[in-house]
Amino acid sequence: MTYNETGTIRKNWRGRVRVVLVYPNTYFVGMSNLGFQTVYHLFNQTDDVVCERAFMPGKSGQGKIRTAESGRLLSDADIIAFSLSYENDYPNILTILEKAGIPRLSCNRGDNHPLVMAGGVACFLNPEPIARFIDCFLLGEAEALLPSFFACLYDRGIELNRRRNAGFSDKSGFLNHLAQNVPGAYVPEFYRTTYHKDGTIRSFDQLCDAPAQIERVFLKDLSHIPTCSKLLTPDTTFQEMFLIEVGRGCPRGCRFCSAGYIYRPPRFRPVSLLEDCIKQGASLTDRIGLVGASVSDLPGLTDLCTRTCREDIRLSFSSLRADALTPELLSVLKQSRVKTATIAPDAGSERLRRVINKGITEEDILSAAELLVSNGIPNLKLYFMIGLPTETPEDVEAITDLCKRIKSGFLECARAKKRIGEITVSLSSFVPKPFTPFQWVPMDNVQSLKKKIKQIRTGLKGVANVRVHADMPRQAQIQALFSRGDRKVSEILSLADDNRGNWAKTLKAASVNTDFYLYREREPDEFLPWNIINHGVRTSFLEREYKRAKQGKTSPPCPMESCNACGVC
Ligand code: SF4
């Protein structure tokens, strides 16, 4: 299959370590992911490595999966590396292994099979639900992990020979060496989980000299390392947009958001480096996207906007806080002919926004909406979550009320501009994520979530120019199961694969009690499946934040220096 893209890396396979980097979703989804592109480039930076990409075929895709670059089969590789960002892609891992003729369980593979590894944010949140399918995980940021992984591979795993293909002679010995010597490497076969009678985890025991906990590995300093698009294609969400990562993590500490905790401390790149990246991007395309969990917190963003606000550059931002709209930012948005701006109030009421530590007021939200529209941006997208901890019927009603108030101010400004656009209200079901202050809370059930969506739809029905878009609570439930589960949950993935993705049949047949993972409040001292990883954030800090949430108290943002509040620095 030929893809319409630039930036493809083609290398000879002979005498090199052969890696197939797999995104377990379609080309369109995978290529929209900057992390996936970055890892592709990092693998290929080593001369002794050839890395090609593979994706899930679209709905009509039949037969074997082949690499994008040379059309080779996955089974020809030494290493199959899965890049995992979303738990809902987990079932595709099994489909891909099956199509490649590789046993799904790690324990059934031998030296003649490729090493199956995985990395990406979903893994360093909680690798346990897929632990039985993966030979080794690399937990943390690829730039910091790959050099020591390859050093170990050359030392103990693979003998490079220019005349013949490389390969593993003692995979198990290599994994042993990896687990003991490479920080961030997690080899599930060297750990055994034991359970209490009630199904909670009693212990997580090492079966060899592997570390008791796996440290998340990250780059302490991003100031000299740019992360930008390596391939450009019209076939992504961003359509030939050159993406630039401004930083990692977010200082705000919203209590529902894992990115605000697992990427601590928040790190931003200097404006001078980002300006160079923008110049590089502008030589390839006129569309530049600044991405990150917290773009509007970038120190010097106003300066960067002023320096790069040019006719031939259309700059856009992946996230902007409602309280961060400066005249310079608005002028860039205007110049870039941005048609739709996104505001994320996340909750409808002031009370619930305090519970989640959102840190913005209704006034901020209303004034941001009016500013955007009066600066010529015709459409607004509003993000809300339903099913948040402590949510009441009044909080759900408050979403409808807030949308109506935003609409009324929006309309006034739009009339003045003689251009009336549209407001899209996007509703997502809250999933309690590992390593957040809400990691102990139960998830709302599907019926209740559906009722809330219906209530909001009814409340906004007939309001002109307002559209409601809601995710499917059943999908959110599956996401929650795979983000909160332990190793037993892998049975569900195997069953789903056997049942060709029929979830109703799978959940009915599974011996695993899904309610146990979804709807149970965890005790503060319970050993959670993801406790195998150490992200550096103290559990006592998360516990304190959870208590403050229940009291409706907010906490200040992470100061990003000179503090020891959460334990990371
Ligand atoms: S220790 Fe302080 S500065 Fe460091 S990440 Fe935690 S809150 Fe931020």
Side-chain angles (χ1 to χ4, degrees), residues 251-256 260-261 264 353-358 389-390 435-441 537-558 565-566:
R252 300 292 176 158
C254 295
R255 293 176 176 133
F256 58 84
Y261 296 89
R264 283 191 179 215
R353 277 195 298 277
R354 278 197 303 276
V355 169
I356 61 175
N357 205 35
K358 185 68 198 176
T390 80
F435 297 108
T436 67
F438 292 151
Q439 64 176 355
W440 294 278
V441 309
V537 176
R538 280 192 289 263
T539 305
S540 57
F541 173 80
L542 297 178
E543 231 178 297
R544 198 200 69 186
E545 280 298 298
Y546 181 31
K547 271 191 197 131
R548 290 179 71 79
K550 286 194 275 194
Q551 293 160 351
K553 288 184 182 160
T554 58
S555 295
C558 149
C566 76

Side-chain angles (χ1 to χ4, degrees), residues 192-448:
R192 188 189 53 202
T193 318
T194 63
Y195 297 90
H196 292 290
K197 275 206 182 101
D198 64 3
T200 57
I201 296 174
R202 181 203 300 273
S203 65
F204 210 74
D205 306 319
Q206 304 115 279
L207 303 176
C208 70
D209 269 349
Q213 247 194 339
I214 315 297
E215 303 287 325
R216 173 217 25 161
V217 176
F218 64 98
L219 285 176
K220 296 219 166 27
D221 180 11
L222 296 178
S223 58
H224 302 291
I225 302 172
T227 300
C228 310
S229 291
K230 298 297 176 194
L231 300 111
L232 287 182
T233 166
D235 302 322
T236 69
T237 321
F238 304 105
Q239 298 173 351
E240 296 212 327
M241 184 184 279
F242 186 83
L243 302 179
I244 302 167
E245 185 193 58
V246 301
R248 293 188 186 159
C250 168
R252 300 292 176 158
C254 295
R255 293 176 176 133
F256 58 84
C257 173
S258 50
Y261 296 89
I262 61 169
Y263 285 106
R264 283 191 179 215
R267 292 147 289 153
F268 289 98
R269 293 186 168 90
V271 165
S272 55
L273 181 75
L274 296 172
E275 200 182 346
D276 288 346
C277 296
I278 292 175
K279 278 185 200 149
Q280 186 202 338
S283 67
L284 303 167
T285 170
D286 66 336
R287 301 183 66 227
I288 310 283
L290 297 185
V291 299
S294 177
V295 178
S296 42
D297 286 305
L298 170 74
L301 178 63
T302 302
D303 185 26
L304 184 68
C305 289
T306 318
R307 289 205 223 170
T308 53
C309 190
R310 286 177 9 200
E311 259 306 313
D312 58 337
I313 295 181
R314 292 170 63 192
L315 203 59
S316 60
F317 310 89
S318 65
S319 59
L320 284 178
R321 278 177 67 88
D323 56 354
L325 293 175
T326 59
E328 290 80 3
L329 255 178
L330 286 162
S331 127
V332 168
L333 294 174
K334 207 168 159 181
Q335 168 101 30
S336 304
R337 303 182 292 283
V338 169
K339 299 274 182 307
T340 304
T342 302
I343 304 177
D346 288 315
S349 69
E350 295 279 10
R351 185 199 73 82
L352 199 48
R353 277 195 298 277
R354 278 197 303 276
V355 169
I356 61 175
N357 205 35
K358 185 68 198 176
I360 53 170
T361 62
E362 178 157 329
E363 207 185 316
D364 294 328
I365 297 163
L366 293 174
S367 110
E370 288 169 23
L371 268 173
L372 288 164
V373 181
S374 41
N375 275 278
I377 296 156
N379 306 307
L380 284 182
K381 209 179 221 178
L382 304 171
Y383 273 116
F384 291 96
M385 271 181 290
I386 45 167
L388 282 163
T390 80
E391 181 188 68
T392 63
E394 291 73 36
D395 293 316
V396 180
E397 198 54 43
I399 295 179
T400 311
D401 295 342
L402 178 59
C403 290
K404 285 181 180 166
R405 278 196 292 281
I406 294 172
K407 162 74 199 294
S408 133
F410 167 89
L411 209 55
E412 244 171 68
C413 300
R415 277 201 190 110
K417 292 280 305 167
K418 296 196 174 65
R419 191 174 179 191
I420 300 179
E422 200 169 63
I423 295 182
T424 306
V425 178
S426 174
L427 305 173
S428 314
S429 304
F430 164 70
V431 172
K433 288 281 185 174
F435 297 108
T436 67
F438 292 151
Q439 64 176 355
W440 294 278
V441 309
M443 189 176 169
D444 201 356
N445 66 59
V446 171
Q447 285 69 30
S448 160

